[in-house]
Amino acid sequence: MRDEPDAKSWRWVRDWALGRIRGRDWAPGERIPDEAHIAADLGCARSTVNRALRELAAAGLLERRRKGGTRVAALPVRKATFEIPIIRLDIEARGHRSGYHLLASELKAPPELVRRGLKLREGTELRHLTALHLADERPFCVEDRWLNPATEGAEAADFAATSANEWLVRNVAFSEGSIAACAQTATAELAALLGCADGAALFVLERATWVESTPITWVRLTYAPGYRLVSEL
Amino acid sequence: MRDEPDAKSWRWVRDWALGRIRGRDWAPGERIPDEAHIAADLGCARSTVNRALRELAAAGLLERRRKGGTRVAALPVRKATFEIPIIRLDIEARGHRSGYHLLASELKAPPELVRRGLKLREGTELRHLTALHLADERPFCVEDRWLNPATEGAEAADFAATSANEWLVRNVAFSEGSIAACAQTATAELAALLGCADGAALFVLERATWVESTPITWVRLTYAPGYRLVSEL
DNA sequence: AAGTGGTCTAGACCACAAA
DNA sequence: TTGTGGTCTAGACCACTTG
């Protein structure tokens, strides 16, 4: 009985619909009543029902099509939203002091993998930055980044003082891109940087970033053993 | 000029606001005009502006508070949404034939880790299922699952025929829960199951699931080397 | 106390896709 | 052709929070 949204609120309608789905009053794959009917039944405005069902559709529980009506998803695809913070804040949120060392910075042609990931034409040179992030003086994560030098302000930025990770978040407002997570065996080089055993299993995030179709950066973050990316569903 | 939403549409307003943010007309941390002003300036209804700004706030780009107004997020937290499909569909989407073998099924007390993950009291017994998912006859993923036997229909289900993964998605409508991703070194047992080298780096997803505060299942999915979880931002 | 976002309403028109 | 969801509007009231 606590935190119960008022009837007529879109949250209440959403929860009501959720109850119908969970209780199998509306079976998977089955069509549910249209917005106007539900609104009339519940005594609220159609736009309220629309808001509620739209949220459930965004969560993957309903499938909606004009004229086709709304159906309960037969095989709902779970969507897990992970928050990817700035590394420094991630470290601090885990209760450590953060540190940072720039290891290398040079202009050169990126490897094939990066060039394809950013959809660049052959011959383009990018700034290659390598850096180590520390948590309480201990290696936390290796940042291996390729940055488009044409990015406004990038060539003037001091990446020895501020990580490219943080500089980008602060200075390149919003971006499209792709992200991938995988596991990788520590090479001798990574093991030395991260202070872990050669061959250890490392968690890796790879991200490609554009702003309005302009390639900005490609980065691989390799975390020291034990790192976990967590999310509430 | 293509795919340009009409002025007055909430998408157009959203993109307009995005432009203001990217162009630093609205600087990070700075307060932006209130909804009523924007609506008047753009000549649309306040609810349209509200929808646009609400989406940007959900994306982490704006921070909104009643009376406090709307501000550009100083350190936007990127949110990456990963779609976590049924394993069988994941395999098929990657262009392989899917296969499945149930390896073990027994009722017993779960390890500490699982008991805490599901917030169960000591002594509770769960059904422990171990299964192997195949892609073109080759090992794809090990499913190590603890299932609450009180879950409706679960004890009657035939997990030799249908994976618990799929059964749950089909039969337990919606659920809250948590999910975590990490990397793990292959134990001898996992290496044997997945047909990979002992000590290989494996990608792991761990999930705990509840329905309305009732614990349903805890599962660890350990993927064969090479697996990548990908997402568009 | 008052400003700002959050939401509801009733009505309207439109776009899309199914019949 | 027509049913259904998608969206816009103008107005209203309310809830939260800040000054």
Side-chain angles (χ1 to χ4, degrees):
Chain A
M1 285 303 183
R2 64 195 58 183
D3 287 340
E4 204 126 308
D6 293 341
K8 291 185 135 193
S9 87
W10 70 267
R11 291 168 192 282
W12 187 92
V13 176
R14 183 247 280 145
D15 292 345
W16 171 84
L18 202 47
R20 307 292 285 190
I21 297 170
R22 283 182 176 155
R24 312 239 135 197
D25 303 304
W26 296 340
E30 189 179 296
R31 185 155 168 189
I32 75 172
D34 62 72
E35 293 183 346
H37 274 85
I38 294 176
D41 283 358
L42 300 182
C44 64
R46 179 165 81 92
S47 47
T48 303
V49 176
N50 179 278
R51 173 83 186 267
L53 300 187
R54 179 159 31 90
E55 301 268 332
L56 291 176
L61 278 164
L62 294 176
E63 289 166 357
R64 325 193 71 198
R65 310 171 71 165
R66 282 161 155 144
K67 168 71 179 179
T70 299
R71 293 173 179 281
V72 178
L75 295 174
V77 173
R78 292 309 302 265
K79 290 171 183 160
T81 301
F82 291 93
E83 301 197 343
I84 317 266
I86 292 176
I87 298 168
R88 180 174 64 78
L89 297 183
D90 194 7
I91 291 169
E92 288 166 4
R94 288 161 197 262
H96 302 292
R97 245 171 331 104
S98 65
Y100 166 77
H101 287 305
L102 180 64
L103 303 175
S105 169
E106 54 181 335
L107 213 55
K108 63 177 182 181
E112 177 70 14
L113 171 72
V114 174
R115 221 189 57 233
R116 278 189 294 110
L118 285 177
K119 293 165 191 161
L120 291 169
R121 65 173 175 285
E122 207 158 353
T124 313
E125 290 205 319
L126 299 179
R127 178 157 295 279
H128 185 213
L129 298 162
T130 309
L132 182 63
H133 294 263
L134 305 168
D136 287 339
E137 318 299 330
R138 293 170 45 191
F140 181 78
C141 159
V142 171
E143 178 176 350
D144 176 9
R145 181 181 298 275
W146 295 85
L147 179 59
N148 187 341
T151 304
E152 189 181 325
E155 283 299 273
D158 176 12
F159 294 124
T162 306
S163 78
N165 173 265
E166 184 152 355
W167 185 88
L168 282 162
V169 170
R170 287 187 186 276
N171 293 281
V172 180
F174 185 64
S175 44
E176 313 109 68
S178 60
I179 188 165
C182 62
Q184 186 191 309
T185 302
T187 61
E189 187 186 354
L190 282 169
L193 285 174
L194 291 172
C196 66
D198 196 347
L202 304 176
F203 184 78
V204 175
L205 282 179
E206 287 180 2
R207 205 177 339 171
T209 301
W210 291 266
V211 168
E212 288 170 13
S213 305
T214 303
I216 301 294
T217 189
W218 184 95
V219 64
R220 167 185 281 151
L221 300 173
T222 306
Y223 290 86
Y227 185 83
R228 290 166 69 84
L229 188 63
V230 299
S231 158
E232 297 300 311
L233 287 178
Chain B
M1 285 300 185
R2 65 196 56 183
D3 286 340
E4 203 125 313
D6 294 339
K8 293 185 134 193
S9 86
W10 70 266
R11 291 167 191 283
W12 186 92
V13 177
R14 184 245 282 147
D15 292 347
W16 171 85
L18 203 46
R20 306 292 286 190
I21 297 170
R22 284 182 176 155
R24 313 240 135 195
D25 304 303
W26 296 340
E30 191 179 295
R31 185 155 169 190
I32 75 172
D34 62 71
E35 293 183 346
H37 274 86
I38 294 176
D41 284 356
L42 300 182
C44 64
R46 177 166 80 94
S47 45
T48 304
V49 175
N50 179 278
R51 173 82 186 268
L53 299 187
R54 178 157 33 90
E55 300 268 332
L56 291 176
L61 278 163
L62 294 176
E63 290 166 357
R64 323 194 71 197
R65 311 172 71 164
R66 282 161 155 144
K67 165 75 178 179
T70 300
R71 292 171 179 282
V72 178
L75 294 173
V77 173
R78 293 309 302 265
K79 290 171 183 162
T81 301
F82 291 92
E83 300 197 342
I84 316 264
I86 292 178
I87 298 168
R88 181 173 64 77
L89 298 182
D90 193 8
I91 291 169
E92 288 165 5
R94 288 162 196 261
H96 303 292
R97 244 171 333 104
S98 66
Y100 167 77
H101 287 305
L102 180 63
L103 302 175
S105 170
E106 54 181 334
L107 212 55
K108 63 177 181 182
E112 176 70 14
L113 171 72
V114 174
R115 220 190 57 232
R116 277 191 293 110
L118 285 176
K119 294 167 191 161
L120 291 168
R121 66 173 176 285
E122 206 159 352
T124 314
E125 289 205 320
L126 299 179
R127 178 155 296 280
H128 185 213
L129 297 162
T130 309
L132 182 63
H133 293 263
L134 305 167
D136 288 338
E137 318 299 330
R138 293 170 43 192
F140 180 77
C141 159
V142 171
E143 178 177 350
D144 177 9
R145 181 181 298 276
W146 295 84
L147 179 60
N148 186 342
T151 304
E152 190 180 327
E155 284 298 275
D158 176 12
F159 295 123
T162 307
S163 77
N165 175 264
E166 185 152 354
W167 185 87
L168 281 161
V169 170
R170 288 186 186 276
N171 293 281
V172 181
F174 185 63
S175 44
E176 313 110 67
S178 61
I179 187 165
C182 63
Q184 186 191 309
T185 302
T187 59
E189 186 186 355
L190 282 169
L193 285 173
L194 290 172
C196 67
D198 196 347
L202 305 176
F203 184 78
V204 174
L205 282 180
E206 288 180 0
R207 207 176 337 170
T209 301
W210 292 264
V211 168
E212 289 169 12
S213 305
T214 303
I216 301 294
T217 188
W218 183 96
V219 64
R220 167 186 282 152
L221 300 173
T222 306
Y223 290 86
Y227 185 83
R228 289 167 69 83
L229 188 63
V230 300
S231 158
E232 298 301 309
L233 287 178

